[in-house]
Structure formats: structure tokens, C-alpha cells
Amino acid sequence: MGGMSIWHWAIVALVVVLLFGGGKLSGLMGDAAKGIKAFKQGLKDDDDDVKTKKPDEEPKA
């Protein structure tokens, strides 16, 4: 009881596709991928800033 079988997930996926349509769903996933790439690029930029900072500089508060 309480467990979700593969058939439950298949029905949920079918309902989602019917509600949102294939085009909207793929567009949403593309936007999510762009957001993840931008987040990773931001983390990389922050790491580069830390590595290039001179040791005698004090961090700004």
C-alpha cells in the first residue's frame, strides 16, 4: 500500500503530456537546461575570481 507502480507513473506521464502538450513540455525542459548551464557558468566565474584575487587584497564586506 502507498507504493506507486510503473502503471501509476505511466498514467501520470500521459496526463501531463495531454495537459501540457509535447511542444510546451520540451520547451520547458530546454529552459531548465539553459538555467542549469547558466548556474554552472556562474559558479565557474566565482571560482575564477577567487583564484585570480591577489593575496594582499582584503575581502569586501
Side-chain angles (χ1 to χ4, degrees):
M1 279 188 83
M4 300 272 297
S5 72
I6 188 71
W7 294 110
H8 290 104
W9 289 113
I11 292 171
V12 169
L14 179 66
V15 169
V16 167
V17 169
L18 288 175
L19 287 176
F20 294 109
K24 289 183 182 178
L25 198 58
S26 65
L28 234 141
M29 295 307 288
D31 290 342
K34 287 178 186 176
I36 292 170
K37 286 181 184 178
F39 179 75
K40 286 183 178 181
Q41 184 65 35
L43 288 177
K44 183 181 176 219
D45 290 344
D46 287 345
D47 288 343
D48 291 344
D49 290 345
V50 170
K51 289 179 183 176
T52 59
K53 188 183 286 188
K54 293 178 184 175
D56 58 337
E57 291 182 6
E58 293 183 18
K60 296 178 182 174

